Amino acid sequence: MENETVTRNFIEQIIDRDIAEGHCETVCTRFPPEPNGYLHIGHAKSILLNYGLAQEYGGKFNMRFDDTNPTKEKEEFVESIKADIEWFGADWEDRLYFASDYFGKMYEAAVKLIKKGKAYVCDLTPEEIREYRGTLTEPGKNSPYRDRSVEENLQLFENMKNGLYEDGEKVLRAKIDMASPNINMRDPIIYRVAHMSHHRTGDAWCIYPMYDFAHPLEDAFEGVTHSICTLEFEDHRPLYDWVVREMGFEHPPKQIEFAKLYLTNVVTGKRYIKKLVEEDIVDGWDDPRLVSIAALRRRGFTPSSIKKFVELCGVSKSQSSVDYAMLEYCIREDLKMTAPRVMAVLDPVKLVIDNYPEGQTEELEIDNNMENPEMGKRLVPFSRELYVEREDFMVEPPKKYRRLYPGNEVRLMNAYFVTCTGYETDANGRVTVVHCTYDPESRGGNSPDGRKVRGTIHWADAATAICAEVRLYENIIDEEKGVYNADGSLNLNPNSLTVLKNCYVEPSLSGAEKYDRFQFVRNGFFCVDARDSVEDHLVFNRIVSLKSSYRIPVQQ
């Protein structure tokens, strides 16, 4: 039991105590995003943590959109977030909620505060409110409207609801303590006038609750037992607790904060991504160079690889950044035993085997994944004319170059030994065809006389290969210069996307469907693009290269 306690994270230890002490009998968590953009890799930690805790304790997991700010919210974002949650397998069952479901109850809660003398309508301008709030070292001062009567406040608040005031003309503030050392408790605004159409309620409301007022009420209305959130909300917890306490909930939710997940040299800020999208620098919120969950899914990452990544990052109160290479490590580990290994030539040059019979085609039996025999084998056609990678032939090679050059013998992977006998060039001196001869006795890539060759290259049969588009990605940020310029703009990498139009893949990929993943021998792991790939024009995104210097830290 002692060992079990040590291995449990601090949130699990808190929940264990809460159950033991009777704070709750069952556990209910939730994931409450604002539908004002696409979710990113940092949100994955919160999704998996909240859902995982509900599963661990046999409890419930709620999905709720905190849609209290109609200025930035769209139905597009709602649908994208739902797709992300479902992709991770986090099942909210029949508990899909919206903050807007509770606008009527929130209004009633605000009226209740006014009747208790705990809220008042304030006429100060936003600038005056900031001035009256004070600083971290100086207390604030009371608004001149703080002592309005309950009756006057009730009337004014109803007038706000009925649309009698302009945006910003009046706000409803909680009456707490303008001298509090926590600025969040200095009579925070809990309702504002906003003549904006809401994506769900339309024009039914012209006043909207503020997040810090709405959020604890939503949790309490739904019976959430543990409000798991990130550390920036730690200073907001006293206000969260004040709201649910003043509303008299018998079993108020408990807010627990954990450290955010930060990745080095990536863009997660919605403002920056929105700018990249609007300026057509990326082709949408799901551009595979981004780290939105939709982008990672389109690039070819798997839910299990991201879950593994989140597990390796752990749960703590300490803020830290994680190298992107660790995420790449997780997808390599996930795919190396499950992705079929196929041959694809990304920068092709034709190879002609002059002594191979013209018109003959044979089928070679090849392992789908040599590390996983259970994946079986496939037949790959082979004939006189092939495609090989341009970098696999050199007219004048440097020392230790082991691939094709005049007079050298290499192994065609899973096929035959071939010896380069010559080449052809165009008018500019660019090699267009490489000529060779083959040893018919070396079928399968082994010579009966025991001679060894030091180079092995992959290939695609020219007669049956499928022409495809391949997209190679690098970090959208220039890592050597850092994420931001001095003026706050992004340091963009001009080489973040390379599009190769005339690549050739073996015919076994003819039926490849969106999101199918493969290892292209020697080139990396690739995924069929979910947006642009169609039956007669396959498009592959490189998920990750084959090798990395990243190593999982050894636990002491």
Side-chain angles (χ1 to χ4, degrees):
M1 289 298 293
E2 290 181 4
N3 290 336
E4 183 180 347
T5 301
V6 170
T7 60
R8 297 178 74 72
N9 66 52
F10 78 97
I11 297 178
E12 291 170 320
Q13 293 176 31
I14 292 172
I15 294 176
D16 288 344
R17 286 197 300 270
D18 287 343
I19 293 174
E21 295 170 3
H23 172 74
C24 61
E25 294 181 0
T26 59
V27 170
C28 182
T29 62
R30 81 289 176 271
F31 179 64
E34 299 173 66
N36 58 6
Y38 281 53
L39 302 183
H40 57 68
I41 184 65
H43 294 106
K45 181 176 181 179
S46 183
I47 296 165
L48 295 171
L49 177 58
N50 278 285
Y51 182 67
L53 288 169
Q55 292 293 102
E56 177 184 348
Y57 289 94
K60 295 179 180 180
F61 169 77
N62 294 356
M63 177 66 212
R64 181 180 71 240
F65 289 93
D66 260 317
D67 55 345
T68 59
N69 184 5
T71 60
K72 298 179 180 179
E73 295 161 357
K74 295 181 182 178
E75 197 64 29
E76 171 194 353
F77 299 141
V78 170
E79 293 305 315
S80 74
I81 291 170
K82 286 165 64 177
D84 292 343
I85 310 302
E86 290 173 336
W87 185 61
F88 280 122
D91 186 3
W92 60 76
E93 298 175 334
D94 60 349
R95 294 179 301 281
L96 174 62
Y97 303 116
F98 292 81
S100 51
D101 294 338
Y102 311 121
F103 280 171
K105 296 177 72 173
M106 290 175 186
Y107 179 81
E108 293 172 4
V111 169
K112 182 176 180 179
L113 282 181
I114 294 173
K115 290 180 176 179
K116 291 178 66 175
K118 297 295 181 70
Y120 62 96
V121 175
C122 183
D123 297 0
L124 292 178
T125 65
E127 293 76 18
E128 290 171 332
I129 289 175
R130 281 193 292 272
E131 180 185 338
Y132 275 60
R133 185 176 291 132
T135 66
L136 292 173
T137 56
E138 298 176 351
K141 56 183 180 180
N142 290 346
S143 164
Y145 307 100
R146 197 174 196 266
D147 295 324
R148 277 174 162 157
S149 68
V150 168
E151 291 72 23
E152 184 181 6
N153 282 316
L154 287 172
Q155 186 60 57
L156 290 171
F157 189 49
E158 185 176 355
N159 291 346
M160 287 171 61
K161 177 176 74 75
N162 292 336
L164 301 187
Y165 308 118
E166 299 295 323
D167 292 2
E169 188 175 345
K170 295 184 188 298
V171 294
L172 183 68
R173 299 175 66 179
K175 186 187 291 188
I176 307 178
D177 181 6
M178 290 303 294
S180 172
N182 185 335
I183 291 182
N184 295 298
M185 300 296 282
R186 295 180 187 175
D187 290 10
I189 298 171
I190 58 175
Y191 258 94
R192 82 282 198 193
V193 177
H195 292 271
M196 294 287 296
S197 184
H198 189 277
H199 73 103
R200 292 188 74 242
T201 61
D203 298 323
W205 295 87
C206 62
I207 58 170
Y208 293 96
M210 301 298 287
Y211 180 88
D212 279 350
F213 177 66
H215 187 73
L217 289 176
E218 295 155 26
D219 284 345
F221 292 153
E222 293 172 13
V224 170
T225 59
H226 295 86
S227 173
I228 315 298
C229 58
T230 46
L231 280 175
E232 72 264 32
F233 294 103
E234 189 169 27
D235 289 341
H236 297 249
R237 193 197 319 150
L239 178 54
Y240 180 106
D241 292 342
W242 182 90
V243 170
V244 293
R245 185 173 61 249
E246 291 296 333
M247 290 299 103
F249 287 98
E250 185 176 353
H251 298 290
K254 175 177 285 190
Q255 179 173 304
I256 308 172
E257 307 86 13
F258 66 95
K260 270 187 173 182
L261 173 55
Y262 289 103
L263 271 182
T264 56
N265 293 315
V266 300
V267 182
T268 55
K270 292 174 183 175
R271 176 168 61 93
Y272 287 106
I273 296 176
K274 185 171 182 286
K275 185 177 174 70
L276 292 174
V277 172
E278 289 175 347
E279 295 181 359
D280 293 326
I281 296 170
V282 297
D283 67 6
W285 288 80
D286 64 346
D287 186 292
R289 289 167 289 179
L290 302 174
V291 290
S292 67
I293 294 173
L296 293 170
R297 179 166 64 249
R298 182 180 170 195
R299 177 135 173 197
F301 281 81
T302 60
S304 54
S305 67
I306 296 177
K307 289 176 185 177
K308 178 65 175 177
F309 173 66
V310 169
E311 289 172 6
L312 289 174
C313 292
V315 179
S316 73
K317 283 265 190 182
S318 302
Q319 298 280 27
S320 60
S321 294
V322 181
D323 196 325
Y324 186 84
M326 190 164 103
L327 180 59
E328 294 182 319
Y329 166 86
C330 291
I331 186 63
R332 285 192 191 94
E333 288 296 297
D334 193 48
L335 293 180
K336 70 179 183 180
M337 298 295 286
T338 60
R341 298 182 182 181
V342 300
M343 292 187 289
V345 179
L346 306 191
D347 185 13
V349 64
K350 183 164 283 190
L351 178 77
V352 177
I353 307 173
D354 293 316
N355 64 334
Y356 192 90
E358 289 193 39
Q360 175 177 305
T361 297
E362 59 184 304
E363 291 188 318
L364 304 175
E365 189 175 66
I366 298 177
D367 291 311
N368 286 324
N369 188 324
M370 291 183 65
E371 292 186 62
N372 185 358
E374 293 183 2
M375 292 185 67
K377 299 177 183 290
R378 69 189 185 283
L379 295 175
V380 179
F382 180 92
S383 58
R384 188 172 187 268
E385 295 188 359
L386 311 171
Y387 291 112
V388 296
E389 296 285 0
R390 184 168 293 278
E391 66 175 19
D392 286 343
F393 172 78
M394 295 188 75
V395 176
E396 297 179 356
K399 289 183 179 180
K400 298 185 178 180
Y401 183 81
R402 297 175 179 175
R403 286 166 268 177
L404 279 171
Y405 56 88
N408 192 45
E409 185 176 46
V410 301
R411 176 188 293 105
L412 293 178
M413 187 174 290
N414 299 296
Y416 294 96
F417 288 3
V418 295
T419 301
C420 180
T421 58
Y423 59 93
E424 300 174 25
T425 63
D426 61 17
N428 298 316
R430 179 178 170 84
V431 174
T432 55
V433 180
V434 177
H435 289 273
C436 64
T437 58
Y438 86 118
D439 177 359
E441 301 301 316
S442 62
R443 192 176 194 274
N446 297 296
S447 174
D449 62 11
R451 76 181 185 276
K452 298 183 183 299
V453 297
R454 305 189 69 182
T456 300
I457 64 175
H458 64 280
W459 48 274
D461 179 58
T464 57
I466 301 167
C467 188
E469 178 180 322
V470 171
R471 298 171 182 176
L472 307 179
Y473 297 100
E474 295 180 9
N475 195 335
I476 197 168
I477 295 298
D478 188 331
E479 297 183 29
E480 293 184 1
K481 297 179 180 178
V483 178
Y484 304 108
N485 292 306
D487 62 359
S489 61
L490 294 171
N491 263 321
L492 297 176
N493 174 9
N495 302 313
S496 62
L497 171 62
T498 301
V499 178
L500 305 175
K501 292 283 189 180
N502 296 305
C503 306
Y504 288 96
V505 299
E506 62 176 72
S508 65
L509 274 65
S510 62
E513 298 181 354
K514 295 177 179 180
Y515 296 116
D516 281 353
R517 301 171 184 87
F518 305 91
Q519 182 186 134
F520 287 0
V521 174
R522 293 173 56 208
N523 281 309
F525 292 98
F526 290 77
C527 175
V528 180
D529 186 78
R531 184 196 294 181
D532 299 332
S533 191
V534 293
E535 186 176 355
D536 60 351
H537 179 66
L538 287 174
V539 178
F540 294 92
N541 300 323
R542 184 164 67 183
I543 310 168
V544 67
S545 60
L546 291 178
K547 294 183 179 180
S548 169
S549 59
Y550 181 80
R551 294 292 181 270
I552 292 293
V554 177
Q555 298 295 324
Q556 300 294 328

